[in-house]
Amino acid sequence: MDNKTRRDLELPYISDASVMEEQKVCRRILQRLNTIDVSDFDGIAAIVKELFGKSEGAFVNPPFYCDYGSHIQVGKNFFANYNCTIIDVAKVTIGDNCMLAPNVAIYTAGHPVHPAARNSMYEYGISVSIGDNVWIGGNTVILPGVHIGSNTVIGAGSVVTKDIPDWVIAGGNPCKVIRKITEEDIHYYYKKQPFDEEALSAFYRP
């Protein structure tokens, strides 16, 4: 079995020449993305679409880093802010209307714990998935194999080591559920600071 097949089956694999050839394609695209005039929003959006393939309304604020790009599947209206890193050895699936704050890192890759196994050059990738309408706070790290449910908020600085359910606020290291998100939360934009009537009426119909 070749190493690309092993990688895609989430088996231990070695980054041989054939694997690195795929990464070269991504790096050429990233070179253009990360050196483009940052005020050229249309140009950035076009490169992002080339990087991810099928996407609708996706936008990334450069710089952005990943290994393949083609292993990242994003839904409608995806947004990643500055300096995000997605190590997409395995598939990363992100739903509609998701936002990544600055310095978010999603890691599917890992290495064996035992030094003899690690020095063998075998590594692995385990897929990560994120539901719809998720906001990931700045400097969050998401580790291999994690699923984050829909309509959830992950607090800044979190290290997400285990699955997080739908409709919660979670945070910390390791990341844990803090509380449920309720209908009452729709009235506030920051902690207990309420939306004014003009803003609230744009999205809320009691």
Side-chain angles (χ1 to χ4, degrees):
M1 190 184 302
D2 65 63
N3 279 297
K4 289 192 294 184
T5 302
R6 294 184 63 87
R7 177 199 64 198
D8 295 346
L9 291 173
E10 300 191 355
L11 295 172
Y13 77 100
I14 292 174
S15 289
D16 61 11
S18 67
V19 171
M20 296 310 295
E21 280 299 317
E22 290 189 340
Q23 291 195 17
K24 285 181 182 179
V25 174
C26 177
R27 291 184 184 208
R28 292 185 188 107
I29 298 171
L30 290 177
Q31 178 71 14
R32 288 189 281 118
L33 176 63
N34 291 333
T35 57
I36 194 172
D37 178 347
V38 292
S39 67
D40 184 0
F41 299 128
D42 290 341
I44 291 170
I47 297 172
V48 169
K49 191 171 187 66
E50 179 184 356
L51 181 66
F52 295 156
K54 183 181 178 183
S55 62
E56 184 178 335
F59 191 85
V60 168
N61 267 330
F64 176 80
Y65 307 97
C66 62
D67 278 342
Y68 299 92
S70 58
H71 295 175
I72 301 170
Q73 178 182 316
V74 300
K76 298 176 183 176
N77 306 318
F78 170 77
F79 174 72
N81 216 327
Y82 306 106
N83 207 41
C84 283
T85 299
I86 301 179
I87 304 300
D88 57 329
V89 168
K91 191 170 185 179
V92 175
T93 305
I94 300 174
D96 294 340
N97 306 310
C98 288
M99 300 187 298
L100 309 185
N103 301 305
V104 166
I106 300 174
Y107 302 146
T108 67
H111 303 271
V113 171
H114 195 284
R118 190 164 60 252
N119 293 340
S120 72
M121 303 301 292
Y122 274 103
E123 55 187 296
Y124 62 85
I126 308 294
S127 60
V128 167
S129 62
I130 297 172
D132 297 331
N133 308 309
V134 173
W135 175 23
I136 309 294
N139 292 291
T140 291
V141 177
I142 300 171
L143 297 185
V146 163
H147 170 72
I148 296 174
S150 294
N151 307 302
T152 279
V153 174
I154 304 296
S158 296
V159 179
V160 189
T161 62
K162 296 181 179 179
D163 292 356
I164 302 295
D166 298 348
W167 284 100
V168 299
I169 297 172
N173 181 6
C175 187
K176 296 179 180 178
V177 173
I178 297 170
R179 69 172 177 87
K180 286 276 191 181
I181 294 172
T182 69
E183 195 62 24
E184 179 68 15
D185 288 305
I186 201 169
H187 297 280
Y188 303 95
Y189 65 92
Y190 175 69
K191 295 185 177 180
K192 289 301 180 182
Q193 296 187 30
F195 281 102
D196 60 275
E197 289 186 11
E198 179 183 357
L200 189 64
S201 65
F203 59 86
Y204 179 61
R205 300 289 186 273

